[in-house]
Amino acid sequence: MSADLVLDGLDKRFPGSPTPALHAFSLTVAAGTCTAVLGPSGSGKSTLLRIIAGLEEPDAGAVRIGGRDVAGVAAERRGVGMVFQRSLLFPHLTVLDNVAFSDRVSGTSRRAARSRAEEYLEMVQLRGFGDRRVGELSGGQEQRVAIARALAAEPAVLLLDEPFSALDPALRSDMHDLLDAVRTAVSPTIVLVTHDRDEAARASDRIALLEHGVLLHEGTVLEAYRRPQNLRAAQIMGGRNEIPGEVRDGVHHSALGSVPVPPETPDGPGILVIRHEDVAVLDDGAGSTDAAAIAGVVESTRVAGARSEIVVRCGDARVHAESPPTQRCQIGDRVRLELPVSAVHVVAA
């Protein structure tokens, strides 16, 4: 049911727009995997999905599905399913007939189409809902039906355009669990568009960061958070620490002092980035041998759920960190920060 998706050098510019919607965009999504395309509003995410689906034609570049160039292939013949933020279900049909729609259009008998539709409704945990009307469903149930309808067409590639963004946090978590179950059952190739980095990390195998139509970064979820390819990628993933300096012989020198970096880090100007979650806050004087220990003074604190966000002034540099609620840091406290070498990363200045 799944197939490799290869996007090669896509360009797209809309008339009257001063900037391209996509520029030289290349990405490969391996069969049966999920890549989340993450970026701010207006970054080109939805345009990308529409080009894959055949609803827009690129000005340049190619879309290949299972090795086949689909240029000029009609949307309904590409083997692509799409689920939008709004479910777009047919209100005049029952839930069962919504899911059976693609089979009926292809000429399958009503009995056979409905039988297959029941299987997909069970897959999305809506067994027994087939006789209901769309107006009787909750928002989460509508999206489950939309996913079942898309899967019933047996697409090689499933496109999800922020399908869970209108749901409350608990329902979104349920939908992420559902997506896991669907992937286990039928293993589609998925491209998930979202502006929520937590959702991207939870639901996908890899993350592609897009801004102004340009691919900033592509890699595993861990790489997106802790090994971003550039400073803007780090910022989009919520990074808060950016310390300019220079790497010499495995050490980053900056206003923060001398911080050991991973051995593969090249010499030259670079910006040290480290996730605030990875910075350990210790009492002044404490420290270990496998991390840089930097002395500083707590400049501000803010409770954020189960943890506290702390800003520490270290000479002319400021470092963001987190501490558990059992560790009570006050403004003016002298502390020591540990920066584990394995968590330190340097991007080009």
Side-chain angles (χ1 to χ4, degrees):
M1 184 176 176
S2 60
D4 289 343
L5 171 67
V6 177
L7 310 175
D8 187 7
L10 295 179
D11 282 332
K12 181 67 179 179
R13 184 186 293 269
F14 292 103
S17 174
T19 58
L22 291 173
H23 178 63
F25 185 94
S26 295
L27 177 70
T28 296
V29 184
T33 67
C34 177
T35 290
V37 179
L38 176 67
S41 298
S43 60
K45 303 187 301 295
S46 292
T47 298
L48 177 66
L49 288 198
R50 290 177 63 82
I51 288 174
I52 298 169
L55 303 176
E56 296 280 357
E57 286 295 324
D59 299 328
V63 176
R64 291 189 287 275
I65 298 175
R68 179 178 68 133
D69 190 334
V70 294
V73 177
E76 63 272 17
R77 297 185 181 279
R78 291 193 173 198
V80 173
M82 193 163 181
V83 179
F84 298 89
Q85 183 175 344
R86 295 177 56 206
S87 64
L88 301 180
L89 299 176
F90 302 119
H92 62 289
L93 298 180
T94 64
V95 165
L96 189 63
D97 287 333
N98 263 280
V99 179
F101 181 78
S102 62
D103 275 347
R104 294 291 289 137
V105 169
S106 66
T108 304
S109 70
R110 186 177 186 184
R111 180 188 295 272
R114 283 186 161 188
S115 177
R116 290 187 72 250
E118 290 279 12
E119 296 175 11
Y120 284 100
L121 282 177
E122 188 162 353
M123 186 184 298
V124 298
Q125 302 167 12
L126 287 181
R127 183 177 183 179
F129 280 69
D131 292 334
R132 297 194 187 188
R133 295 285 175 176
V134 172
E136 299 173 331
L137 303 177
S138 68
Q141 289 167 345
E142 283 192 29
Q143 288 302 73
R144 288 173 184 260
V145 175
I147 291 172
R149 183 176 66 178
L151 291 173
E154 297 187 339
V157 176
L158 179 63
L159 307 178
L160 304 177
D161 192 0
E162 302 197 49
F164 314 135
S165 60
L167 305 179
D168 64 47
L171 277 177
R172 291 181 77 175
S173 179
D174 288 345
M175 295 302 288
H176 297 155
D177 292 340
L178 172 67
L179 197 56
D180 287 342
V182 166
R183 294 185 63 192
T184 299
V186 293
S187 193
T189 302
I190 299 175
V191 179
L192 167 67
V193 154
T194 180
H195 61 270
D196 184 337
R197 59 179 174 266
D198 292 333
E199 177 167 87
R202 167 64 181 82
S204 66
D205 303 304
R206 301 178 72 85
I207 294 177
L209 301 179
L210 181 63
E211 187 173 52
H212 304 310
V214 176
L215 182 66
L216 297 177
H217 170 103
E218 192 277 333
T220 66
V221 173
L222 183 62
E223 289 167 344
Y225 274 104
R226 290 184 165 79
R227 294 290 182 268
Q229 293 169 10
N230 49 66
L231 181 59
R232 184 59 186 137
Q235 293 169 341
I236 290 176
M237 292 306 297
R240 299 175 188 170
N241 291 314
E242 307 168 7
I243 311 295
E246 184 173 3
V247 177
R248 297 192 300 273
D249 298 324
V251 177
H252 185 269
H253 303 272
S254 69
L256 196 60
S258 299
V259 177
V261 296
E264 67 273 13
T265 307
D267 285 357
I271 299 173
L272 184 150
V273 294
I274 182 170
R275 299 287 304 181
H276 45 283
E277 305 98 330
D278 292 333
V279 178
V281 182
L282 308 174
D283 293 334
D284 189 27
S288 66
T289 59
D290 61 347
I294 311 294
V297 177
V298 176
E299 191 173 84
S300 68
T301 67
R302 184 173 74 89
V303 175
R307 301 183 68 81
S308 295
E309 297 177 353
I310 301 170
V311 178
V312 178
R313 171 68 67 176
C314 305
D316 292 332
R318 298 168 76 241
V319 178
H320 293 258
E322 283 188 354
S323 68
T326 53
Q327 184 177 11
R328 298 184 179 277
C329 292
Q330 305 292 329
I331 295 175
D333 284 354
R334 296 191 63 81
V335 296
R336 203 161 187 83
L337 303 180
E338 272 195 354
L339 281 62
V341 175
S342 61
V344 170
H345 182 58
V346 176
V347 297

Coordinates of all heavy atoms in Angstrom, one line a residue, residues 134-184:
V134 N -23.3 12.6 9.5 CA -22.1 13.4 9.8 C -22.4 14.4 11.0 O -21.6 14.7 11.9 CB -21.6 14.2 8.6 CG1 -20.5 15.1 9.0 CG2 -21.1 13.1 7.6
G135 N -23.6 15.0 10.9 CA -24.0 16.0 11.9 C -24.1 15.5 13.3 O -24.2 16.2 14.3
E136 N -24.1 14.1 13.5 CA -24.2 13.5 14.8 C -22.8 13.2 15.4 O -22.8 12.7 16.5 CB -25.0 12.2 14.7 CG -26.4 12.4 14.2 CD -27.2 11.1 14.0 OE1 -26.5 10.1 13.6 OE2 -28.4 11.1 14.1
L137 N -21.8 13.6 14.7 CA -20.4 13.2 15.1 C -19.8 14.4 15.8 O -20.0 15.6 15.6 CB -19.6 12.8 13.9 CG -20.1 11.6 13.1 CD1 -19.1 11.4 11.9 CD2 -20.2 10.4 13.9
S138 N -18.8 14.1 16.7 CA -18.0 15.1 17.3 C -16.9 15.4 16.3 O -16.7 14.7 15.3 CB -17.4 14.6 18.6 OG -16.4 13.5 18.4
G139 N -16.1 16.5 16.6 CA -15.0 16.8 15.7 C -14.0 15.7 15.6 O -13.5 15.5 14.5
G140 N -13.6 15.1 16.7 CA -12.6 14.0 16.6 C -13.2 12.8 15.9 O -12.4 12.2 15.1
Q141 N -14.5 12.5 16.0 CA -15.1 11.4 15.3 C -15.1 11.7 13.8 O -14.9 10.9 12.9 CB -16.5 11.1 15.8 CG -16.5 10.5 17.2 CD -17.9 10.5 17.8 OE1 -18.8 11.2 17.4 NE2 -18.0 9.7 18.9
E142 N -15.4 13.0 13.4 CA -15.4 13.4 12.0 C -14.0 13.1 11.4 O -13.9 12.6 10.2 CB -15.8 14.9 11.8 CG -17.2 15.1 12.0 CD -17.6 16.5 11.5 OE1 -16.9 17.1 10.7 OE2 -18.6 17.1 12.1
Q143 N -12.9 13.5 12.1 CA -11.6 13.3 11.5 C -11.2 11.8 11.4 O -10.5 11.4 10.5 CB -10.6 14.0 12.4 CG -10.6 15.6 12.3 CD -10.4 16.0 10.8 OE1 -11.3 15.9 10.0 NE2 -9.2 16.5 10.5
R144 N -11.7 11.0 12.3 CA -11.5 9.6 12.2 C -12.2 9.0 11.0 O -11.6 8.2 10.2 CB -12.1 8.8 13.4 CG -11.3 9.0 14.7 CD -12.0 8.4 15.9 NE -11.2 8.7 17.1 CZ -10.4 7.9 17.7 NH1 -10.2 6.7 17.2 NH2 -9.7 8.2 18.8
V145 N -13.4 9.5 10.7 CA -14.1 9.1 9.5 C -13.3 9.6 8.2 O -13.2 8.8 7.2 CB -15.6 9.6 9.5 CG1 -16.2 9.3 8.1 CG2 -16.4 9.0 10.6
A146 N -12.8 10.8 8.3 CA -12.1 11.3 7.1 C -10.8 10.5 6.9 O -10.5 10.2 5.7 CB -11.7 12.8 7.4
I147 N -10.2 10.1 7.9 CA -9.0 9.2 7.8 C -9.4 7.8 7.2 O -8.8 7.3 6.3 CB -8.3 9.0 9.1 CG1 -7.6 10.4 9.5 CG2 -7.2 7.9 9.0 CD1 -7.0 10.4 10.9
A148 N -10.5 7.3 7.7 CA -11.0 6.0 7.2 C -11.3 6.1 5.7 O -11.0 5.2 4.9 CB -12.2 5.5 8.0
R149 N -12.0 7.2 5.3 CA -12.4 7.4 3.9 C -11.1 7.5 3.0 O -11.1 6.9 2.0 CB -13.2 8.7 3.8 CG -13.7 8.9 2.3 CD -14.6 10.1 2.3 NE -13.9 11.4 2.6 CZ -14.5 12.6 2.5 NH1 -15.8 12.7 2.2 NH2 -13.8 13.6 2.8
A150 N -10.1 8.2 3.5 CA -8.9 8.3 2.7 C -8.2 7.0 2.6 O -7.7 6.6 1.6 CB -7.9 9.4 3.4
L151 N -8.1 6.2 3.7 CA -7.5 4.9 3.7 C -8.2 3.9 2.8 O -7.6 3.0 2.2 CB -7.3 4.4 5.1 CG -6.3 5.1 6.0 CD1 -6.4 4.6 7.4 CD2 -4.9 5.0 5.5
A152 N -9.5 4.0 2.8 CA -10.3 3.1 2.0 C -10.0 3.1 0.5 O -10.2 2.1 -0.2 CB -11.8 3.3 2.2
A153 N -9.4 4.2 0.0 CA -9.0 4.3 -1.4 C -7.6 3.6 -1.6 O -7.1 3.6 -2.7 CB -8.9 5.8 -1.8
E154 N -7.0 3.1 -0.5 CA -5.7 2.4 -0.5 C -4.7 3.3 -1.2 O -4.0 2.9 -2.2 CB -5.9 1.1 -1.2 CG -6.8 0.1 -0.5 CD -6.8 -1.3 -1.1 OE1 -6.4 -1.4 -2.3 OE2 -7.1 -2.2 -0.4
P155 N -4.4 4.5 -0.7 CA -3.4 5.3 -1.3 C -2.0 4.9 -1.0 O -1.7 4.3 0.1 CB -3.7 6.7 -0.6 CG -4.2 6.3 0.7 CD -5.0 5.1 0.5
A156 N -1.1 5.1 -1.9 CA 0.3 4.8 -1.7 C 0.9 5.9 -0.7 O 1.8 5.6 0.0 CB 1.1 4.8 -3.0
V157 N 0.4 7.1 -0.8 CA 0.8 8.2 0.1 C -0.4 8.8 0.7 O -1.4 9.1 0.0 CB 1.6 9.2 -0.8 CG1 2.0 10.4 0.1 CG2 2.9 8.6 -1.4
L158 N -0.3 9.1 2.0 CA -1.4 9.7 2.7 C -0.9 11.1 3.2 O 0.2 11.2 3.9 CB -1.8 8.9 4.0 CG -2.9 9.5 4.9 CD1 -4.2 9.6 4.1 CD2 -3.1 8.6 6.1
L159 N -1.6 12.1 2.8 CA -1.2 13.5 3.2 C -2.2 14.0 4.2 O -3.4 13.9 4.1 CB -1.3 14.4 1.9 CG -0.5 14.0 0.7 CD1 -0.8 14.9 -0.5 CD2 0.9 13.8 1.0
L160 N -1.6 14.6 5.3 CA -2.4 15.1 6.4 C -2.1 16.6 6.6 O -1.0 16.9 7.0 CB -2.0 14.3 7.7 CG -2.2 12.8 7.7 CD1 -1.8 12.1 9.0 CD2 -3.7 12.4 7.4
D161 N -3.1 17.4 6.3 CA -2.8 18.9 6.3 C -3.4 19.4 7.6 O -4.6 19.8 7.7 CB -3.5 19.5 5.1 CG -3.1 21.0 5.0 OD1 -2.3 21.5 5.8 OD2 -3.5 21.6 4.0
E162 N -2.6 19.4 8.7 CA -3.0 19.9 10.0 C -4.4 19.3 10.4 O -5.3 20.1 10.8 CB -3.0 21.4 10.1 CG -1.7 22.0 9.7 CD -1.5 23.5 10.1 OE1 -1.8 23.8 11.3 OE2 -1.1 24.3 9.3
P163 N -4.6 18.0 10.3 CA -5.9 17.5 10.6 C -6.4 17.5 12.0 O -7.6 17.3 12.3 CB -5.8 16.0 10.1 CG -4.4 15.7 10.3 CD -3.6 17.0 10.1
F164 N -5.5 17.7 12.9 CA -5.9 17.7 14.4 C -5.8 19.0 15.0 O -6.0 19.1 16.2 CB -4.9 16.7 15.1 CG -4.7 15.4 14.4 CD1 -3.5 14.8 14.3 CD2 -5.8 14.7 13.8 CE1 -3.3 13.6 13.7 CE2 -5.6 13.5 13.1 CZ -4.3 13.0 13.1
S165 N -5.5 20.1 14.3 CA -5.2 21.4 14.9 C -6.5 22.0 15.6 O -6.4 22.8 16.5 CB -4.7 22.4 13.9 OG -5.6 22.6 12.8
A166 N -7.7 21.6 15.1 CA -8.9 22.2 15.7 C -9.4 21.4 16.9 O -10.4 21.8 17.5 CB -10.0 22.2 14.6
L167 N -8.7 20.3 17.3 CA -9.2 19.5 18.4 C -8.5 19.9 19.7 O -7.4 20.5 19.7 CB -8.8 18.0 18.1 CG -9.3 17.5 16.8 CD1 -8.9 16.0 16.6 CD2 -10.9 17.6 16.7
D168 N -9.2 19.6 20.8 CA -8.5 20.0 22.1 C -7.4 19.0 22.4 O -7.3 18.0 21.8 CB -9.6 20.0 23.2 CG -10.2 18.6 23.5 OD1 -9.4 17.6 23.6 OD2 -11.4 18.5 23.6
P169 N -6.5 19.4 23.4 CA -5.3 18.6 23.6 C -5.6 17.1 23.8 O -4.8 16.2 23.3 CB -4.7 19.3 24.8 CG -5.1 20.7 24.7 CD -6.5 20.6 24.1
A170 N -6.6 16.8 24.6 CA -6.9 15.3 24.9 C -7.2 14.6 23.6 O -6.8 13.5 23.4 CB -8.0 15.2 25.9
L171 N -8.1 15.2 22.8 CA -8.5 14.6 21.6 C -7.3 14.4 20.6 O -7.2 13.4 19.9 CB -9.6 15.4 20.9 CG -11.0 15.1 21.4 CD1 -12.0 16.0 20.7 CD2 -11.4 13.6 21.2
R172 N -6.5 15.4 20.6 CA -5.3 15.4 19.7 C -4.4 14.2 20.1 O -3.9 13.5 19.3 CB -4.5 16.7 19.8 CG -5.2 17.8 19.1 CD -4.4 19.1 19.2 NE -3.4 19.1 18.2 CZ -2.6 20.1 18.0 NH1 -2.7 21.2 18.7 NH2 -1.6 20.1 17.1
S173 N -4.2 14.0 21.4 CA -3.4 12.9 21.9 C -4.1 11.5 21.4 O -3.4 10.6 21.0 CB -3.3 12.9 23.4 OG -2.6 11.8 23.9
D174 N -5.4 11.5 21.5 CA -6.1 10.3 21.0 C -5.9 10.0 19.6 O -5.7 8.9 19.1 CB -7.6 10.4 21.3 CG -7.9 10.3 22.8 OD1 -7.1 9.8 23.6 OD2 -9.1 10.6 23.2
M175 N -5.9 11.1 18.8 CA -5.7 11.0 17.3 C -4.2 10.6 17.0 O -4.0 9.8 16.0 CB -6.0 12.3 16.6 CG -7.5 12.7 16.7 SD -8.6 11.5 16.1 CE -8.3 11.6 14.3
H176 N -3.3 11.0 17.8 CA -1.9 10.5 17.6 C -1.8 9.0 17.9 O -1.1 8.3 17.1 CB -0.9 11.3 18.5 CG -0.9 12.8 18.2 ND1 -0.5 13.7 19.2 CD2 -1.2 13.5 17.1 CE1 -0.6 14.9 18.6 NE2 -1.0 14.8 17.4
D177 N -2.5 8.6 18.9 CA -2.5 7.1 19.2 C -3.2 6.4 18.0 O -2.7 5.3 17.6 CB -3.3 6.8 20.5 CG -2.5 7.3 21.7 OD1 -1.3 7.6 21.6 OD2 -3.2 7.5 22.8
L178 N -4.2 7.0 17.5 CA -4.9 6.4 16.4 C -4.0 6.3 15.2 O -4.0 5.2 14.5 CB -6.2 7.2 16.0 CG -6.9 6.8 14.7 CD1 -7.5 5.4 14.9 CD2 -7.9 7.8 14.3
L179 N -3.2 7.3 14.9 CA -2.3 7.3 13.8 C -1.3 6.2 14.0 O -0.9 5.5 13.0 CB -1.6 8.7 13.7 CG -0.9 9.0 12.4 CD1 -1.9 8.9 11.2 CD2 -0.3 10.4 12.5
D180 N -0.8 6.0 15.2 CA 0.1 4.8 15.5 C -0.6 3.5 15.1 O 0.1 2.6 14.4 CB 0.5 4.8 16.9 CG 1.4 5.9 17.3 OD1 2.1 6.5 16.5 OD2 1.5 6.2 18.6
A181 N -1.8 3.4 15.4 CA -2.5 2.1 15.1 C -2.7 1.9 13.6 O -2.6 0.8 13.1 CB -3.9 2.1 15.8
V182 N -3.0 3.0 12.9 CA -3.2 2.9 11.5 C -1.9 2.5 10.8 O -1.8 1.7 9.9 CB -3.7 4.3 10.9 CG1 -3.6 4.4 9.4 CG2 -5.2 4.5 11.3
R183 N -0.8 3.1 11.3 CA 0.5 2.8 10.7 C 0.9 1.4 10.9 O 1.5 0.7 10.0 CB 1.6 3.7 11.3 CG 1.4 5.2 10.9 CD 2.5 6.1 11.4 NE 3.8 5.7 10.8 CZ 5.0 6.0 11.2 NH1 5.1 6.9 12.3 NH2 6.1 5.7 10.6
T184 N 0.5 0.8 12.1 CA 0.8 -0.6 12.3 C 0.0 -1.5 11.4 O 0.4 -2.5 10.9 CB 0.5 -0.9 13.8 OG1 1.3 -0.1 14.7 CG2 0.7 -2.4 14.1

